[in-house]
Amino acid sequence: QLLKLKNGMDIIVIENRSVPLVTVEVAVKNGAYTEPPEYNGLSHLYEHMFFKSNEKSKAEGYHDRASELGMLSNAQTQYEVVNYYTTTINYGLREALVMMSDALRYPLFDKQELDQEIQVVIDELNQHRSNPFHYLFEATDARLWYKYPSRKRPGCDPETVAKATPEMMRVIQKKFYIPNNSALVVAGDVSAQEVFKLATEIFGDWARGDDPFI
């Protein structure tokens, strides 16, 4: 079932009561295809910062509470979407929605945390580079997408990531992390009407932004 909030955010609910679990996912229309060369890979770095400290809670507090609710969380950066998801017990629905909202709307981009995650991402990229096939795929993509190669490279070069700043993270946030460029998907042991009510309460006052794809 589908609801569009007044601020443009899509709410999608899939009811499945076979087990008492619920998965909450937020998908943002972002990723490699939005990146000019100087921002190549920063959608992925932003993904890493998502579960770090925000104005409502420190990263340690988030992970402690997530553990109490048995939350399993992860995220992915792809060509045209960055998605964040967590699975928890059914009575953790409200808290999962609140945690997602806080991470989406109130990131701090603490410089120390950002520097730590820059190194984590660089280590990931270097791990990919240890695979010989990486160079085959890179060379193929460079020829296929010769005019705008950065828009087909979710990973990018370590050198680009190393230059990231909190200010660059804010540019991504203000342009892409807006309700009318995002979708909330809730699946599992839930009622669609309950989810719509909670989503309206928790995300409804999130201010709409300018369409980044005009």
Side-chain angles (χ1 to χ4, degrees):
Q1 298 188 52
L2 173 66
L3 173 72
K4 185 181 285 289
L5 299 183
K6 292 180 180 179
N7 59 13
M9 188 178 197
D10 289 318
I11 314 299
I12 302 158
V13 181
I14 302 162
E15 297 181 2
N16 183 342
R17 293 185 170 80
S18 56
V19 291
L21 298 175
V22 58
T23 295
V24 174
E25 176 176 8
V26 172
V28 179
K29 195 176 180 183
N30 186 208
Y33 90 133
T34 68
E35 296 175 349
E38 65 273 18
Y39 273 78
N40 192 201
L42 298 199
S43 299
H44 179 212
L45 178 59
Y46 193 110
E47 172 217 308
H48 275 247
M49 294 301 296
F50 186 81
F51 294 112
K52 296 299 178 182
S53 300
N54 58 62
E55 293 175 21
K56 304 293 185 179
S57 66
K58 295 297 183 184
E60 294 82 3
Y62 169 85
H63 291 299
D64 287 346
R65 184 56 181 148
S67 295
E68 290 174 10
L69 290 172
M71 286 183 174
L72 296 175
S73 303
N74 211 332
Q76 289 180 306
T77 300
Q78 303 178 55
Y79 296 112
E80 300 180 9
V81 66
V82 185
N83 55 311
Y84 307 89
Y85 46 93
T86 188
T87 298
T88 184
I89 44 185
N90 53 6
Y91 62 80
L93 172 61
R94 170 184 277 276
E95 199 141 6
L97 290 170
V98 168
M99 286 180 172
M100 282 288 188
S101 173
D102 290 347
L104 279 167
R105 300 169 65 180
Y106 309 114
L108 282 179
F109 302 123
D110 176 81
K111 183 65 164 60
Q112 183 176 349
E113 290 183 343
L114 179 62
D115 289 344
Q116 290 172 348
E117 287 309 305
I118 285 173
Q119 192 55 54
V120 170
V121 172
I122 289 174
D123 288 345
E124 281 187 11
L125 296 174
N126 287 333
Q127 185 178 12
H128 295 324
R129 287 180 166 196
S130 70
N131 183 339
F133 284 103
H134 166 82
Y135 298 94
L136 173 63
F137 298 146
E138 284 279 292
T140 303
D141 284 347
R143 285 159 176 76
L144 281 171
W145 318 113
Y146 60 92
K147 194 172 183 181
Y148 303 110
S150 66
R151 299 186 187 273
K152 283 291 185 177
R153 301 179 69 213
C156 90
D157 294 319
E159 295 77 11
T160 309
V161 174
K163 297 176 182 176
T165 65
E167 291 73 24
M168 296 173 87
M169 296 292 100
R170 291 289 177 201
V171 170
I172 294 172
Q173 178 195 6
K174 291 177 181 176
K175 188 170 186 179
F176 299 107
Y177 282 72
I178 52 178
N180 45 306
N181 196 52
S182 306
L184 171 69
V185 184
V186 179
D189 187 14
V190 296
S191 154
Q193 293 310 309
E194 178 191 11
V195 174
F196 293 155
K197 181 180 178 181
L198 287 171
T200 302
E201 173 191 336
I202 295 167
F203 293 94
D205 62 347
W206 187 12
R208 175 190 288 266
D210 295 330
D211 184 343
F213 298 100
I214 289 293

